[in-house]
Amino acid sequence: MSKKFLILIVLICFFGVYNYLVYTQSQPPTKPLLSTNALQGQKLWQDNNCNSCHQFYGLGGYLGPDITNVYSLKGGDFINAMLNSGISTMPLFHFSDLEKQNIITFLKEVDSTGFYPDKKSIIHKNGWVEISEK
Ligand code: HEC
């Protein structure tokens, strides 16, 4: 058996052991970050492509405004009114009351994760950014 072939066999064995260890490790159970209602709202958000026009933390489409903090800035009633009426470039989606409530819960829970833009963040000389959290 050539030396190269032996090295190849050893490397394949290491690869196998490595993969076994990585993929069979038990993970601590993770709990979803959003409540059940907010998860329903998130699904509506994704299915209706809200993100093609809106942004969270500045990421998304740019036809509509960033709505990371729309819940704390304008409140649930305002969001409800927005979803009831649609407006020039924002389509009217015809959601049921429950669906609207779930979207509002989703936006409320997104809002609770932080500020955007985070005007109170401090940028240190070494590049470290200290964000203000909710
Ligand atoms: C085709 C683009 C488009 C899509 C898709 C869209 N929106 Fe909008 N939305 C807009 C625009 C544009 C505005 C701003 C309207 C205005 O103030 O004149 C807006 C405004 C809003 C506002 C009020 C924001 C504020 O600060 O005044 C909320 C809340 C909102 N949209 C939620 C949603 C949700 C939830 C969805 C998905 C179900 C969605 N939008 C899908 C374009 C869109």
Side-chain angles (χ1 to χ4, degrees):
M1 209 185 312
S2 83
K3 210 172 164 186
K4 279 184 187 166
F5 186 68
L6 210 67
I7 291 174
L8 187 68
I9 296 290
V10 169
L11 286 176
I12 290 172
C13 288
F14 274 132
F15 181 72
V17 171
Y18 170 80
N19 275 286
Y20 174 79
L21 291 177
V22 167
Y23 292 107
T24 55
Q25 238 172 30
S26 65
Q27 297 287 330
T30 49
K31 116 175 158 18
L33 297 172
L34 298 171
S35 67
T36 320
N37 286 351
L39 284 172
Q40 304 276 338
Q42 183 189 40
K43 184 158 186 347
L44 291 166
W45 172 269
Q46 288 165 345
D47 290 349
N48 292 284
N49 232 350
C50 310
N51 216 61
S52 63
C53 294
H54 292 286
Q55 314 97 57
F56 286 142
Y57 290 100
L59 297 174
Y62 291 95
L63 191 62
D66 184 290
I67 54 176
T68 313
N69 296 129
V70 71
Y71 184 85
S72 54
L73 293 175
K74 301 189 174 174
D77 288 345
F78 173 83
I79 299 170
N80 196 41
M82 209 61 212
L83 294 173
N84 279 337
S85 62
I87 194 169
S88 58
T89 38
M90 161 121 170
L92 177 57
F93 290 95
H94 304 287
F95 292 123
S96 70
D97 285 346
L98 180 66
E99 288 174 325
K100 281 182 274 192
Q101 203 44 55
N102 287 341
I103 290 177
I104 293 169
T105 309
F106 171 59
L107 291 177
K108 180 180 175 189
E109 293 185 17
V110 168
D111 187 332
S112 70
T113 60
F115 300 98
Y116 185 83
D118 192 348
K119 293 188 180 131
K120 290 186 208 146
S121 60
I122 303 161
I123 302 172
H124 294 284
K125 281 189 187 140
N126 62 1
W128 187 258
V129 180
E130 221 174 285
I131 58 167
S132 44
E133 292 180 35
K134 285 206 167 178

Short mmCIF file of all heavy atoms in Angstrom, two decimals, residues 41 44-54 56 62-67 69-71 73-75 78-80 82-83 86-91 93 95 103-104 106-107, ligand 1:
data_model
loop_
_atom_site.label_atom_id
_atom_site.label_comp_id
_atom_site.label_asym_id
_atom_site.label_seq_id
_atom_site.Cartn_x
_atom_site.Cartn_y
_atom_site.Cartn_z
N GLY A 41 -48.01 36.00 12.94
CA GLY A 41 -47.84 37.31 12.30
C GLY A 41 -46.62 37.32 11.40
O GLY A 41 -46.64 37.87 10.30
N LEU A 44 -47.44 35.72 8.17
CA LEU A 44 -48.18 36.63 7.28
C LEU A 44 -47.23 37.65 6.67
O LEU A 44 -47.34 38.01 5.50
CB LEU A 44 -49.28 37.35 8.07
CG LEU A 44 -50.44 36.45 8.51
CD1 LEU A 44 -51.29 37.15 9.56
CD2 LEU A 44 -51.29 36.07 7.30
N TRP A 45 -46.31 38.13 7.49
CA TRP A 45 -45.30 39.08 7.03
C TRP A 45 -44.51 38.49 5.86
O TRP A 45 -44.28 39.14 4.84
CB TRP A 45 -44.37 39.42 8.21
CG TRP A 45 -43.17 40.23 7.88
CD1 TRP A 45 -41.93 39.80 7.53
CD2 TRP A 45 -43.10 41.67 7.87
NE1 TRP A 45 -41.09 40.85 7.31
CE2 TRP A 45 -41.77 42.01 7.51
CE3 TRP A 45 -44.01 42.69 8.14
CZ2 TRP A 45 -41.34 43.32 7.41
CZ3 TRP A 45 -43.58 44.00 8.04
CH2 TRP A 45 -42.27 44.31 7.67
N GLN A 46 -44.13 37.21 6.00
CA GLN A 46 -43.34 36.57 4.95
C GLN A 46 -44.21 36.24 3.73
O GLN A 46 -43.82 36.51 2.60
CB GLN A 46 -42.69 35.29 5.50
CG GLN A 46 -41.57 35.60 6.46
CD GLN A 46 -41.14 34.41 7.29
OE1 GLN A 46 -41.84 33.41 7.37
NE2 GLN A 46 -39.99 34.54 7.94
N ASP A 47 -45.41 35.66 3.98
CA ASP A 47 -46.27 35.25 2.86
C ASP A 47 -46.70 36.43 2.00
O ASP A 47 -46.93 36.29 0.81
CB ASP A 47 -47.52 34.53 3.38
CG ASP A 47 -47.18 33.16 3.96
OD1 ASP A 47 -46.03 32.72 3.76
OD2 ASP A 47 -48.05 32.57 4.61
N ASN A 48 -46.87 37.60 2.64
CA ASN A 48 -47.35 38.77 1.90
C ASN A 48 -46.22 39.70 1.46
O ASN A 48 -46.46 40.81 0.99
CB ASN A 48 -48.38 39.54 2.72
CG ASN A 48 -49.64 38.74 2.87
OD1 ASN A 48 -50.43 38.64 1.94
ND2 ASN A 48 -49.81 38.10 4.03
N ASN A 49 -44.99 39.23 1.70
CA ASN A 49 -43.83 39.96 1.18
C ASN A 49 -43.73 41.39 1.67
O ASN A 49 -43.32 42.28 0.92
CB ASN A 49 -43.90 39.95 -0.35
CG ASN A 49 -42.61 39.47 -0.93
OD1 ASN A 49 -41.62 39.34 -0.19
ND2 ASN A 49 -42.59 39.24 -2.22
N CYS A 50 -44.14 41.65 2.91
CA CYS A 50 -44.06 43.01 3.47
C CYS A 50 -42.62 43.52 3.39
O CYS A 50 -42.38 44.71 3.21
CB CYS A 50 -44.49 43.01 4.94
SG CYS A 50 -46.05 42.19 5.25
N ASN A 51 -41.67 42.58 3.51
CA ASN A 51 -40.27 42.98 3.53
C ASN A 51 -39.75 43.47 2.18
O ASN A 51 -38.66 44.01 2.09
CB ASN A 51 -39.42 41.80 4.00
CG ASN A 51 -38.27 42.25 4.85
OD1 ASN A 51 -38.50 42.84 5.89
ND2 ASN A 51 -37.05 42.02 4.39
N SER A 52 -40.57 43.29 1.12
CA SER A 52 -40.11 43.80 -0.17
C SER A 52 -40.23 45.32 -0.20
O SER A 52 -39.60 45.98 -1.03
CB SER A 52 -40.92 43.19 -1.31
OG SER A 52 -42.27 43.56 -1.18
N CYS A 53 -41.04 45.89 0.69
CA CYS A 53 -41.18 47.35 0.74
C CYS A 53 -40.67 47.93 2.06
O CYS A 53 -40.32 49.09 2.12
CB CYS A 53 -42.64 47.75 0.60
SG CYS A 53 -43.33 47.36 -1.00
N HIS A 54 -40.70 47.15 3.13
CA HIS A 54 -40.34 47.65 4.46
C HIS A 54 -39.03 47.07 4.93
O HIS A 54 -38.61 46.02 4.47
CB HIS A 54 -41.43 47.30 5.47
CG HIS A 54 -42.70 48.03 5.22
ND1 HIS A 54 -42.85 49.35 5.52
CD2 HIS A 54 -43.88 47.62 4.70
CE1 HIS A 54 -44.08 49.73 5.19
NE2 HIS A 54 -44.73 48.70 4.68
N PHE A 56 -36.60 46.05 8.54
CA PHE A 56 -36.32 45.92 9.98
C PHE A 56 -34.84 46.20 10.11
O PHE A 56 -34.03 45.64 9.38
CB PHE A 56 -36.60 44.51 10.49
CG PHE A 56 -38.06 44.16 10.63
CD1 PHE A 56 -38.51 42.89 10.31
CD2 PHE A 56 -38.98 45.09 11.10
CE1 PHE A 56 -39.85 42.56 10.45
CE2 PHE A 56 -40.32 44.77 11.24
CZ PHE A 56 -40.76 43.50 10.92
N TYR A 62 -37.14 49.31 -0.09
CA TYR A 62 -37.13 50.73 0.28
C TYR A 62 -38.30 51.54 -0.26
O TYR A 62 -38.23 52.75 -0.31
CB TYR A 62 -35.79 51.36 -0.12
CG TYR A 62 -34.67 50.82 0.73
CD1 TYR A 62 -33.90 49.77 0.30
CD2 TYR A 62 -34.46 51.33 2.01
CE1 TYR A 62 -32.91 49.22 1.11
CE2 TYR A 62 -33.48 50.80 2.83
CZ TYR A 62 -32.71 49.75 2.37
OH TYR A 62 -31.75 49.22 3.18
N LEU A 63 -39.38 50.85 -0.66
CA LEU A 63 -40.54 51.62 -1.12
C LEU A 63 -41.29 52.23 0.07
O LEU A 63 -41.76 53.35 0.03
CB LEU A 63 -41.46 50.70 -1.93
CG LEU A 63 -42.57 51.39 -2.70
CD1 LEU A 63 -41.99 52.35 -3.73
CD2 LEU A 63 -43.45 50.37 -3.41
N GLY A 64 -41.36 51.47 1.15
CA GLY A 64 -42.02 51.95 2.38
C GLY A 64 -41.00 52.24 3.45
O GLY A 64 -39.81 51.98 3.27
N PRO A 65 -41.46 52.77 4.61
CA PRO A 65 -40.51 53.13 5.67
C PRO A 65 -40.01 51.92 6.47
O PRO A 65 -40.60 50.84 6.40
CB PRO A 65 -41.35 54.04 6.57
CG PRO A 65 -42.76 53.65 6.33
CD PRO A 65 -42.84 53.16 4.92
N ASP A 66 -38.93 52.14 7.23
CA ASP A 66 -38.43 51.13 8.18
C ASP A 66 -39.47 51.04 9.30
O ASP A 66 -39.90 52.05 9.83
CB ASP A 66 -37.09 51.59 8.75
CG ASP A 66 -36.48 50.54 9.66
OD1 ASP A 66 -37.01 50.31 10.76
OD2 ASP A 66 -35.45 49.97 9.26
N ILE A 67 -39.89 49.82 9.65
CA ILE A 67 -40.92 49.73 10.68
C ILE A 67 -40.47 48.92 11.90
O ILE A 67 -41.27 48.31 12.59
CB ILE A 67 -42.28 49.26 10.14
CG1 ILE A 67 -42.19 47.96 9.37
CG2 ILE A 67 -42.91 50.31 9.27
CD1 ILE A 67 -43.57 47.45 8.93
N ASN A 69 -39.50 50.10 14.75
CA ASN A 69 -40.07 50.67 15.98
C ASN A 69 -41.44 51.29 15.77
O ASN A 69 -41.87 52.13 16.56
CB ASN A 69 -39.11 51.71 16.57
CG ASN A 69 -37.80 51.10 17.00
OD1 ASN A 69 -36.74 51.57 16.62
ND2 ASN A 69 -37.86 50.03 17.77
N VAL A 70 -42.14 50.87 14.72
CA VAL A 70 -43.44 51.50 14.44
C VAL A 70 -44.41 51.28 15.59
O VAL A 70 -45.21 52.16 15.91
CB VAL A 70 -44.03 51.03 13.09
CG1 VAL A 70 -44.49 49.59 13.13
CG2 VAL A 70 -45.15 51.92 12.63
N TYR A 71 -44.30 50.14 16.29
CA TYR A 71 -45.25 49.88 17.38
C TYR A 71 -45.09 50.89 18.51
O TYR A 71 -46.08 51.47 18.95
CB TYR A 71 -45.09 48.45 17.91
CG TYR A 71 -46.13 48.13 18.96
CD1 TYR A 71 -47.40 47.69 18.60
CD2 TYR A 71 -45.85 48.32 20.32
CE1 TYR A 71 -48.37 47.44 19.54
CE2 TYR A 71 -46.83 48.07 21.27
CZ TYR A 71 -48.08 47.64 20.88
OH TYR A 71 -49.04 47.40 21.83
N LEU A 73 -43.58 53.81 18.35
CA LEU A 73 -43.69 55.19 17.89
C LEU A 73 -45.15 55.56 17.60
O LEU A 73 -45.59 56.67 17.88
CB LEU A 73 -42.87 55.41 16.61
CG LEU A 73 -41.35 55.31 16.77
CD1 LEU A 73 -40.66 55.42 15.41
CD2 LEU A 73 -40.85 56.40 17.70
N LYS A 74 -45.90 54.63 17.00
CA LYS A 74 -47.25 55.00 16.54
C LYS A 74 -48.36 54.14 17.14
O LYS A 74 -49.53 54.52 17.06
CB LYS A 74 -47.30 54.93 15.02
CG LYS A 74 -46.26 55.88 14.41
CD LYS A 74 -46.39 56.04 12.92
CE LYS A 74 -45.41 57.10 12.42
NZ LYS A 74 -45.39 57.20 10.96
N GLY A 75 -48.04 52.99 17.69
CA GLY A 75 -49.04 52.18 18.40
C GLY A 75 -49.79 51.19 17.52
O GLY A 75 -49.80 51.29 16.29
N PHE A 78 -52.70 52.44 15.19
CA PHE A 78 -52.23 53.03 13.94
C PHE A 78 -51.90 51.93 12.92
O PHE A 78 -52.29 52.02 11.75
CB PHE A 78 -50.99 53.91 14.21
CG PHE A 78 -50.35 54.42 12.95
CD1 PHE A 78 -50.84 55.55 12.32
CD2 PHE A 78 -49.28 53.74 12.38
CE1 PHE A 78 -50.26 56.01 11.15
CE2 PHE A 78 -48.70 54.20 11.20
CZ PHE A 78 -49.19 55.33 10.58
N ILE A 79 -51.22 50.90 13.39
CA ILE A 79 -50.87 49.79 12.48
C ILE A 79 -52.15 49.15 11.94
O ILE A 79 -52.27 48.86 10.75
CB ILE A 79 -49.99 48.73 13.20
CG1 ILE A 79 -48.69 49.38 13.68
CG2 ILE A 79 -49.69 47.56 12.27
CD1 ILE A 79 -47.86 48.50 14.60
N ASN A 80 -53.11 48.98 12.85
CA ASN A 80 -54.39 48.40 12.45
C ASN A 80 -55.05 49.25 11.37
O ASN A 80 -55.52 48.73 10.35
CB ASN A 80 -55.28 48.30 13.69
CG ASN A 80 -56.46 47.39 13.45
OD1 ASN A 80 -56.30 46.34 12.84
ND2 ASN A 80 -57.62 47.80 13.91
N MET A 82 -53.61 51.26 9.34
CA MET A 82 -52.79 51.14 8.13
C MET A 82 -53.18 49.87 7.36
O MET A 82 -53.31 49.88 6.14
CB MET A 82 -51.33 51.05 8.58
CG MET A 82 -50.34 51.57 7.66
SD MET A 82 -50.57 53.28 7.33
CE MET A 82 -49.96 53.29 5.67
N LEU A 83 -53.37 48.77 8.10
CA LEU A 83 -53.70 47.49 7.46
C LEU A 83 -55.15 47.50 6.95
O LEU A 83 -55.48 46.79 6.00
CB LEU A 83 -53.49 46.33 8.44
CG LEU A 83 -52.04 46.09 8.85
CD1 LEU A 83 -51.95 45.04 9.95
CD2 LEU A 83 -51.18 45.68 7.66
N GLY A 86 -54.79 50.45 3.68
CA GLY A 86 -53.82 50.49 2.58
C GLY A 86 -53.63 51.97 2.28
O GLY A 86 -54.30 52.82 2.86
N ILE A 87 -52.71 52.31 1.44
CA ILE A 87 -52.51 53.73 1.11
C ILE A 87 -51.73 53.77 -0.20
O ILE A 87 -50.91 52.88 -0.43
CB ILE A 87 -51.77 54.46 2.26
CG1 ILE A 87 -51.85 55.95 2.11
CG2 ILE A 87 -50.32 54.03 2.37
CD1 ILE A 87 -51.38 56.72 3.32
N SER A 88 -51.99 54.74 -1.00
CA SER A 88 -51.39 54.84 -2.35
C SER A 88 -50.53 53.64 -2.75
O SER A 88 -50.99 52.72 -3.41
CB SER A 88 -50.62 56.15 -2.48
OG SER A 88 -49.63 56.23 -1.49
N THR A 89 -49.28 53.60 -2.26
CA THR A 89 -48.38 52.53 -2.70
C THR A 89 -48.43 51.29 -1.80
O THR A 89 -47.81 50.29 -2.12
CB THR A 89 -46.94 53.04 -2.73
OG1 THR A 89 -46.77 53.90 -1.61
CG2 THR A 89 -46.63 53.74 -4.02
N MET A 90 -49.14 51.38 -0.66
CA MET A 90 -49.23 50.20 0.21
C MET A 90 -50.54 49.48 -0.08
O MET A 90 -51.61 50.04 0.10
CB MET A 90 -49.17 50.64 1.67
CG MET A 90 -49.71 49.60 2.60
SD MET A 90 -48.55 49.07 3.80
CE MET A 90 -49.63 48.12 4.85
N PRO A 91 -50.48 48.25 -0.56
CA PRO A 91 -51.71 47.56 -0.94
C PRO A 91 -52.61 47.26 0.24
O PRO A 91 -52.14 47.19 1.38
CB PRO A 91 -51.20 46.26 -1.57
CG PRO A 91 -49.76 46.16 -1.31
CD PRO A 91 -49.27 47.42 -0.73
N PHE A 93 -54.61 44.48 2.08
CA PHE A 93 -54.44 43.03 2.04
C PHE A 93 -55.68 42.22 2.41
O PHE A 93 -55.70 41.03 2.24
CB PHE A 93 -53.30 42.62 2.98
CG PHE A 93 -51.94 43.04 2.49
CD1 PHE A 93 -51.36 44.22 2.92
CD2 PHE A 93 -51.25 42.25 1.58
CE1 PHE A 93 -50.11 44.60 2.47
CE2 PHE A 93 -50.00 42.62 1.13
CZ PHE A 93 -49.44 43.81 1.57
N PHE A 95 -56.95 41.42 5.50
CA PHE A 95 -56.69 40.46 6.57
C PHE A 95 -57.90 40.36 7.48
O PHE A 95 -58.66 41.32 7.63
CB PHE A 95 -55.50 40.93 7.43
CG PHE A 95 -54.18 40.90 6.72
CD1 PHE A 95 -53.41 42.05 6.60
CD2 PHE A 95 -53.69 39.71 6.19
CE1 PHE A 95 -52.18 42.02 5.96
CE2 PHE A 95 -52.47 39.67 5.55
CZ PHE A 95 -51.71 40.83 5.43
N ILE A 103 -50.25 40.26 13.27
CA ILE A 103 -49.21 41.11 12.66
C ILE A 103 -48.78 42.18 13.65
O ILE A 103 -47.59 42.45 13.82
CB ILE A 103 -49.73 41.76 11.35
CG1 ILE A 103 -49.89 40.68 10.27
CG2 ILE A 103 -48.76 42.84 10.86
CD1 ILE A 103 -50.46 41.18 8.97
N ILE A 104 -49.76 42.76 14.36
CA ILE A 104 -49.43 43.80 15.35
C ILE A 104 -48.57 43.20 16.46
O ILE A 104 -47.57 43.78 16.87
CB ILE A 104 -50.72 44.45 15.91
CG1 ILE A 104 -51.42 45.22 14.80
CG2 ILE A 104 -50.40 45.36 17.09
CD1 ILE A 104 -52.81 45.70 15.13
N PHE A 106 -46.59 40.66 16.20
CA PHE A 106 -45.27 40.42 15.61
C PHE A 106 -44.47 41.73 15.61
O PHE A 106 -43.31 41.76 16.05
CB PHE A 106 -45.43 39.87 14.18
CG PHE A 106 -44.15 39.78 13.40
CD1 PHE A 106 -43.08 39.03 13.86
CD2 PHE A 106 -44.01 40.45 12.19
CE1 PHE A 106 -41.89 38.94 13.14
CE2 PHE A 106 -42.83 40.37 11.46
CZ PHE A 106 -41.77 39.62 11.94
N LEU A 107 -45.10 42.82 15.13
CA LEU A 107 -44.38 44.10 15.08
C LEU A 107 -44.03 44.58 16.49
O LEU A 107 -42.98 45.19 16.70
CB LEU A 107 -45.22 45.15 14.34
CG LEU A 107 -45.39 44.88 12.83
CD1 LEU A 107 -46.29 45.92 12.18
CD2 LEU A 107 -44.04 44.84 12.12
C1 HEC B 1 -45.84 47.55 -2.29
C2 HEC B 1 -45.14 48.00 -1.13
C3 HEC B 1 -45.66 47.67 0.25
C4 HEC B 1 -45.95 46.44 0.77
C5 HEC B 1 -45.89 45.09 0.08
C6 HEC B 1 -46.33 46.67 2.14
N1 HEC B 1 -46.26 47.99 2.44
FE1 HEC B 1 -46.61 48.83 4.25
N2 HEC B 1 -46.27 50.68 3.48
C7 HEC B 1 -45.86 50.92 2.19
C8 HEC B 1 -45.66 52.36 2.03
C9 HEC B 1 -45.20 53.05 0.75
C10 HEC B 1 -45.98 52.95 3.27
C11 HEC B 1 -45.95 54.43 3.62
C12 HEC B 1 -47.27 55.02 3.34
C13 HEC B 1 -47.32 56.47 3.71
O1 HEC B 1 -47.00 56.80 4.86
O2 HEC B 1 -47.67 57.26 2.84
C14 HEC B 1 -46.35 51.87 4.17
C15 HEC B 1 -46.69 52.03 5.50
C16 HEC B 1 -46.84 51.00 6.40
C17 HEC B 1 -47.01 51.16 7.83
C18 HEC B 1 -46.97 52.49 8.57
C19 HEC B 1 -45.51 52.88 8.78
C20 HEC B 1 -45.32 54.25 9.34
O3 HEC B 1 -44.33 54.45 10.06
O4 HEC B 1 -46.12 55.15 9.05
C21 HEC B 1 -47.12 49.91 8.36
C22 HEC B 1 -47.28 49.55 9.83
C23 HEC B 1 -47.07 48.97 7.28
N3 HEC B 1 -46.88 49.66 6.08
C24 HEC B 1 -47.16 47.60 7.42
C25 HEC B 1 -47.11 46.71 6.37
C26 HEC B 1 -47.31 45.28 6.51
C27 HEC B 1 -47.57 44.57 7.83
C28 HEC B 1 -47.22 44.75 5.26
C29 HEC B 1 -47.40 43.33 4.85
C30 HEC B 1 -48.62 42.68 5.22
C31 HEC B 1 -46.92 45.84 4.34
N4 HEC B 1 -46.87 47.01 5.05
C32 HEC B 1 -46.70 45.65 3.00
C33 HEC B 1 -45.65 50.00 1.19
C34 HEC B 1 -45.86 48.64 1.31
#
